[in-house]
Amino acid sequence: MPANPSDITEATRATLGDRPDSPCIGICSTLFDDICQGCGRTAAEVSHWVFLSDEEKQVIWDRITREGTARRFKPG
């Protein structure tokens, strides 16, 4: 899961500062699989979030944004 720090650009690091501290939206559900229906992270990503480096968080943000399936990305 760790990202290679050399793959993270300054522009990418800046985007972390523009985002909330966490992808969590307070609608936690892993009822049907290991992915939270609210934020799109795995249970392990949720439980380890505070210990992850900025690079690791960026990789997760990029993935959940790209997938766009979590409620975080659904209108209304």
Side-chain angles (χ1 to χ4, degrees):
M1 172 162 36
N4 181 348
S6 64
D7 293 339
I8 306 297
T9 65
E10 286 303 315
T12 302
R13 280 194 186 97
T15 62
L16 260 185
D18 297 334
R19 292 186 168 148
D21 291 338
S22 162
C24 182
I25 60 169
I27 302 172
C28 304
S29 172
T30 55
L31 182 62
F32 301 109
D33 57 27
D34 290 334
I35 304 294
C36 177
Q37 300 302 305
C39 70
R41 296 177 293 170
T42 66
E45 290 167 344
V46 171
S47 63
H48 295 103
W49 187 258
V50 297
F51 304 109
L52 298 177
S53 69
D54 285 349
E55 289 82 9
E56 291 168 320
K57 289 177 181 179
Q58 184 65 51
V59 168
I60 295 166
W61 270 110
D62 289 346
R63 188 195 79 241
I64 65 174
T65 302
R66 184 177 55 252
E67 291 172 353
T69 56
R71 285 189 180 180
R72 161 171 275 294
F73 303 105
K74 308 271 188 216

